[in-house]
Amino acid sequence: MENLGYEVQIFRLNSATMGVPQARERIFFIARKEKLKLPQLILNFNESPIYFGAIADRNSTTHAPLRPSIEKRRPFVEYGDQNLKFADARYRNLNTHNAFFSTYILYDNTVP
């Protein structure tokens, strides 16, 4: 980009610092034509994180109940597990973790 006459800035931004109840880190490349002499961008986001416990609707009557396969594994969840793959292995008494890896566990003190 610089060889083509652009000035490039690279930012690593996380939506959790922008007042969004989500932790999602992304890389942004900002390119400006050098001949325009535009100022450098300053991107400082310092919002407090929004934790799951602050947005969870504990009295919802519209959410579907847990699927039976998940309900069976729920007693095997240990605090800190990020998804159900470890609970599934404990439930099935296995050392492999090849199922339920996309079923995330949210804790009140984490950013979703």
Side-chain angles (χ1 to χ4, degrees):
M1 296 289 296
E2 290 171 348
N3 290 340
L4 296 172
Y6 288 88
E7 182 179 8
V8 179
Q9 282 182 272
I10 301 172
F11 296 95
R12 186 172 76 184
L13 303 174
N14 190 333
S15 59
T17 64
M18 299 176 193
V20 178
Q22 175 184 95
R24 182 170 272 203
E25 200 168 78
R26 296 289 185 261
I27 303 296
F28 290 85
F29 295 84
I30 307 296
R32 299 177 298 285
K33 284 296 262 183
E34 284 182 1
K35 67 181 181 181
L36 295 177
K37 306 287 187 216
L38 296 171
Q40 293 273 318
L41 287 177
I42 298 171
L43 300 179
N44 292 324
F45 298 98
N46 297 311
E47 295 288 326
S48 297
I50 299 173
Y51 297 105
F52 179 68
I55 61 171
D57 182 358
R58 304 203 187 285
N59 298 313
S60 174
T61 58
T62 60
H63 290 93
L66 292 177
R67 289 181 286 160
S69 60
I70 293 174
E71 193 65 53
K72 289 177 189 175
R73 286 152 177 84
R74 191 174 188 180
F76 295 89
V77 171
E78 293 181 1
Y79 183 79
D81 287 351
Q82 293 179 338
N83 53 45
L84 282 181
K85 70 180 184 180
F86 299 111
D88 175 61
R90 291 181 202 110
Y91 170 76
R92 297 187 304 143
N93 199 25
L94 298 174
N95 291 324
T96 58
H97 311 107
N98 57 0
F100 289 91
F101 53 85
S102 63
T103 306
Y104 293 98
I105 300 170
L106 297 175
Y107 299 95
D108 285 348
N109 63 344
T110 59
V111 179

